[in-house]
Amino acid sequence: MRNLDEATITQAVLARNSSTADARLCEVMTSLVQHLHAFARDIKLTEEEWRSGIDFLEQVGKACSSDRQEFVLLSHTLGLSTLVLAQNDRKPSGCTEATAFDVPQIQNTTVYDLGADISARLHGAKGYMRGTIRDAKGNPVPSAAIQVSQAGDDLNNPVAIDTECALLQADQLGRYFFSTVVPQSQRVLDDGPVGTMLTALNRHAWRPAHLEFVISAPGYKRLVTQVFREGDPYLDSDAVFGVRSSLITHWALQPPGETPDGAVSSDPFYTLEFDFFLTKA
Amino acid sequence: MRNLDEATITQAVLARNSSTADARLCEVMTSLVQHLHAFARDIKLTEEEWRSGIDFLEQVGKACSSDRQEFVLLSHTLGLSTLVLAQNDRKPSGCTEATAFDVPQIQNTTVYDLGADISARLHGAKGYMRGTIRDAKGNPVPSAAIQVSQAGDDLNNPVAIDTECALLQADQLGRYFFSTVVPQSQRVLDDGPVGTMLTALNRHAWRPAHLEFVISAPGYKRLVTQVFREGDPYLDSDAVFGVRSSLITHWALQPPGETPDGAVSSDPFYTLEFDFFLTKA
């Protein structure tokens, strides 16, 4: 293996990698090297561009921390996450679609009683959400654990840092209900290298308003999904390509008066009903 | 752009990226997204594997520092660097081949007079190297700046950290000469994530013995190359795919006696003659 050039290098690398005993690793690396090299060949990648790419990846790595996952954001904004999710996590008919990875995040979880106001430090219009956790046939699933996270509502800096989330438990009849502030459009964290990339590509960094749910119950697959808000201006241009029609919901505006939790509001408020349908494990 | 799946996501991302005014960026990103997605589709990348990939890239990023370029090493070990070099830096017939990128490195540069011993803190068999810097037709190029770097010779840990290099200037007739220790096989820095990858692939981390040269003279292209040592056991399995036959040289063993610098050695020593042929700028 001497004198390798653009015509012979790919086969040489594949041959070198072929002695691993891990057949799947060999398969993954073979495809990776072939596509990486084909990319460099197709566009005739220059040394200067190669250096820019190396620098970019290094910056992405350095932007990662315990509460920031810049490579995950890169994957999201390049559509890779949606692709991987689609080819691995397609739900059976009648089940709620997934639209996010189950990425463990460092979050402060607060346990709430059913019916509680989980808005914590967020400000905005009051909203009441309720529904039932069900199986694919519509039968209630009792006592599911429901984790809800929501980005901040500061309109000057509505970035998508979900560092806090609320944990609720559905009742024996599968029902859940809570109040919070109605979600607003939010930007992905765009002050790092991925944000610079989006700007260079003339792309915005906005995601449509949503609440994120992680729902788990014994005997069912963990569901990680997002419930979007009808009317949001970014539903057709989500920066991370995650919107699904079945997950767009209508927060209905209600006049002042009695609220779903039995109190009386002197302001208008919003209500939303949404049932989740879990897939059997 | 809603309900994107593995069949539609690629086109959606390409469409989103297409409004940039930078035509080359658009071309690069189009190819990158197509190949990235094709890779994920071809091997049916799983969520777990996606997560491993993200973790790996994050580790590579975190291993980068002012004197360690883990993404460069990743590129080298995947053959990407050799490919990019081959398609951009092919030298005209008669000129010395390049086999490394001109990556700026944080190095301590020491200026030496011609004929000096540049081995500094290295230990090993004494070697004397000499030659002439020439143009493609063989005419001497006067007064070229010659930067030589060499990895450590500690056989227990011969890793390729070139943190020191020597700067010499050829004379008016293009001649250079210096002494150092004869280079030994060396490992790339394999105590990080790239080393872990090599181990998983059942690959060794060794590079054949070489000296690295960066040669520059007004009116000529800067030449970045490596001069390998004949007989090295890793010439056909260089961890970074960089060996070129034209750069393999014979360090000739000489009996004790007068050395090229006019001294007398009671030990055997080595000599090497090698001319470099520069390309016109």
Side-chain angles (χ1 to χ4, degrees):
Chain A
M1 291 212 215
R2 302 179 187 179
N3 307 318
L4 296 167
D5 62 17
E6 62 269 51
T8 55
I9 180 67
T10 307
Q11 208 46 51
V13 179
L14 299 188
R16 192 76 65 81
N17 288 347
S18 65
S19 75
T20 175
D22 183 336
R24 175 63 176 166
L25 177 66
C26 186
E27 183 182 23
V28 169
M29 293 302 293
T30 295
S31 180
L32 186 145
V33 168
Q34 284 173 328
H35 281 294
L36 179 67
H37 287 198
F39 159 69
R41 262 188 220 103
D42 286 356
I43 60 162
K44 208 168 185 309
L45 187 70
T46 67
E47 285 188 36
E48 193 181 7
E49 290 167 342
W50 171 85
R51 199 167 291 121
S52 298
I54 294 284
D55 286 347
F56 176 77
L57 289 171
E58 188 173 332
Q59 286 171 40
V60 173
K62 285 190 175 150
C64 293
S65 65
S66 60
D67 60 359
R68 179 168 182 151
Q69 295 169 308
E70 194 81 358
F71 273 116
V72 170
L73 182 60
L74 181 61
S75 167
H76 287 2
T77 54
L78 293 180
L80 178 64
S81 308
T82 291
L83 170 57
V84 172
L85 201 66
Q87 69 184 6
N88 287 289
D89 204 13
R90 190 184 295 279
K91 301 295 186 189
S93 171
C95 294
T96 303
E97 293 185 276
T99 190
F101 282 134
D102 190 8
V103 179
Q105 296 188 324
I106 308 291
Q107 290 183 312
N108 298 319
T109 302
T110 309
V111 178
Y112 289 93
D113 289 331
L114 274 184
D117 178 346
I118 66 165
S119 61
R121 65 192 159 68
L122 304 179
H123 302 282
K126 186 94 177 176
Y128 296 83
M129 182 169 176
R130 66 189 312 152
T132 301
I133 313 298
R134 302 180 184 276
D135 66 16
K137 293 175 182 160
N139 302 313
V141 173
S143 308
I146 305 172
Q147 189 180 298
V148 190
S149 44
Q150 181 174 9
D153 71 322
D154 177 350
L155 286 177
N156 293 315
N157 192 28
V159 292
I161 320 182
D162 295 330
T163 53
E164 289 188 46
C165 73
L167 191 62
L168 302 160
Q169 189 174 24
D171 68 14
Q172 286 297 318
L173 300 175
R175 297 174 304 186
Y176 73 90
F177 36 107
F178 62 85
S179 67
T180 186
V181 299
V182 176
Q184 302 291 334
S185 315
Q186 58 188 237
R187 291 205 319 279
V188 299
L189 266 176
D190 60 354
D191 60 346
V194 172
T196 304
M197 179 189 80
L198 293 178
T199 301
L201 287 167
N202 195 30
R203 283 173 54 175
H204 70 70
W206 289 88
R207 296 213 63 203
H210 65 274
L211 295 177
E212 177 157 322
F213 290 85
V214 181
I215 302 177
S216 43
Y220 295 89
K221 278 197 178 169
R222 203 169 144 93
L223 172 66
V224 185
T225 196
Q226 295 170 347
V227 175
F228 299 93
R229 183 179 174 192
E230 195 182 283
D232 188 284
Y234 300 107
L235 284 169
D236 283 305
S237 65
D238 180 8
V240 306
F241 306 96
V243 176
R244 311 202 77 75
S245 302
S246 68
L247 301 173
I248 300 175
T249 57
H250 177 62
W251 283 90
L253 183 61
Q254 310 292 348
E258 195 181 350
T259 58
D261 60 358
V264 173
S265 174
S266 55
D267 295 317
F269 56 90
Y270 292 84
T271 57
L272 172 62
E273 283 221 25
F274 192 80
D275 290 357
F276 294 91
F277 296 81
L278 304 185
T279 311
K280 277 237 157 46
Chain B
M1 292 212 213
R2 302 179 188 179
N3 307 317
L4 297 167
D5 62 19
E6 62 268 51
T8 56
I9 180 68
T10 306
Q11 209 45 51
V13 179
L14 298 188
R16 191 76 65 83
N17 288 348
S18 66
S19 75
T20 174
D22 183 335
R24 176 61 177 168
L25 177 66
C26 186
E27 182 181 23
V28 169
M29 292 302 294
T30 296
S31 180
L32 186 144
V33 168
Q34 285 173 328
H35 281 294
L36 179 67
H37 287 200
F39 159 69
R41 262 189 219 102
D42 286 355
I43 59 161
K44 205 166 186 313
L45 188 69
T46 68
E47 285 189 35
E48 192 182 9
E49 289 167 343
W50 171 86
R51 199 165 292 122
S52 298
I54 294 284
D55 287 348
F56 176 77
L57 289 170
E58 188 173 332
Q59 285 171 40
V60 173
K62 287 190 173 150
C64 293
S65 64
S66 60
D67 60 359
R68 179 167 183 152
Q69 295 169 308
E70 195 80 0
F71 273 117
V72 171
L73 182 59
L74 182 61
S75 168
H76 287 2
T77 54
L78 294 181
L80 178 64
S81 309
T82 292
L83 169 57
V84 172
L85 201 67
Q87 69 184 4
N88 287 289
D89 205 14
R90 191 183 294 278
K91 301 295 187 189
S93 171
C95 294
T96 303
E97 291 185 277
T99 189
F101 282 134
D102 191 7
V103 178
Q105 296 187 324
I106 309 291
Q107 290 184 313
N108 297 319
T109 301
T110 309
V111 177
Y112 290 93
D113 289 331
L114 274 183
D117 179 346
I118 65 166
S119 61
R121 65 192 159 70
L122 303 178
H123 303 282
K126 186 96 178 174
Y128 296 83
M129 182 169 176
R130 67 189 313 152
T132 302
I133 313 297
R134 302 181 184 277
D135 66 16
K137 295 175 179 158
N139 301 313
V141 173
S143 308
I146 305 173
Q147 188 181 298
V148 191
S149 43
Q150 182 173 9
D153 72 322
D154 177 350
L155 286 179
N156 292 315
N157 191 30
V159 292
I161 320 182
D162 293 330
T163 51
E164 290 188 46
C165 73
L167 191 61
L168 302 160
Q169 189 174 25
D171 68 14
Q172 287 297 317
L173 300 175
R175 298 173 304 186
Y176 74 89
F177 37 106
F178 62 86
S179 68
T180 186
V181 299
V182 176
Q184 302 292 332
S185 314
Q186 57 189 239
R187 290 205 319 278
V188 298
L189 266 176
D190 60 353
D191 60 346
V194 172
T196 304
M197 179 189 80
L198 294 178
T199 302
L201 287 167
N202 196 30
R203 284 173 53 174
H204 69 70
W206 288 89
R207 296 213 62 201
H210 65 274
L211 296 176
E212 177 157 324
F213 291 84
V214 181
I215 302 177
S216 41
Y220 295 88
K221 279 198 179 170
R222 201 168 146 95
L223 172 67
V224 186
T225 197
Q226 296 170 347
V227 175
F228 299 93
R229 184 179 174 194
E230 194 183 284
D232 188 284
Y234 299 107
L235 284 169
D236 283 305
S237 65
D238 180 6
V240 305
F241 306 97
V243 176
R244 312 204 75 76
S245 301
S246 68
L247 301 173
I248 300 174
T249 56
H250 177 62
W251 284 90
L253 182 61
Q254 310 292 349
E258 195 181 348
T259 58
D261 60 357
V264 173
S265 174
S266 55
D267 295 316
F269 56 90
Y270 291 83
T271 57
L272 172 63
E273 284 223 24
F274 191 81
D275 290 357
F276 293 90
F277 296 82
L278 304 186
T279 311
K280 277 237 156 49

